[in-house]
Amino acid sequence: FHAVLHFLFLFFQQKLKNKMKMQDCMEQILSGFSMGGALGLGVGSLFAPLQAYSYGLKGREALRHCGKQTFMFGVMFGMVVAVGAGIRCEPKILNTDNAKEGMEL
């Protein structure tokens, strides 16, 4: 799973090499997804066994249910935090026409 995220990060990094503001936003979104995914996996690993117990699942069914629910929690939390990071993204814009070189607006 982490390898897929790393591949996506490298792919977008090469595609958006000349567009620094988009690259900064993409880094924020990917880091938000990874942090949210880690949090979701932790929460899912706590709540999935309780849910399996309440459903009355035993053995292999319970283990399969815990794996699915943990993965779903991780993806869900990751997407929520990634969307939040994308909304809060404030790219750095450099104005080289009227301002001194290197001044940020």
Side-chain angles (χ1 to χ4, degrees), residues 12 15 17-18 20 23 25 28 33 35 37-39 44 52 56 59 69 73 78 83 86 91-92 94-98:
F12 284 114
K15 283 286 195 182
K17 194 171 188 179
N18 296 330
M20 285 302 291
Q23 190 177 20
C25 287
Q28 288 180 8
F33 183 80
M35 286 190 301
L39 176 68
Q69 288 300 112
F73 268 96
V83 168
K92 297 176 184 175
L94 296 175
N95 185 2
T96 58
D97 294 335
N98 298 328

Side-chain angles (χ1 to χ4, degrees), residues 74-87:
V75 171
M76 182 179 62
F77 273 78
M79 290 301 292
V80 168
V81 176
V83 168
I87 290 171

Side-chain angles (χ1 to χ4, degrees), residues 29-75:
I29 291 170
L30 286 176
S31 66
F33 183 80
S34 63
M35 286 190 301
L39 176 68
L41 289 175
V43 170
S45 65
L46 293 175
F47 285 116
L50 297 174
Q51 191 178 28
Y53 178 74
S54 69
Y55 289 162
L57 301 176
K58 303 268 188 230
R60 183 177 291 199
E61 293 176 356
L63 188 61
R64 184 176 295 146
H65 177 78
C66 290
K68 286 180 185 178
Q69 288 300 112
T70 301
F71 182 74
M72 286 174 54
F73 268 96
V75 171

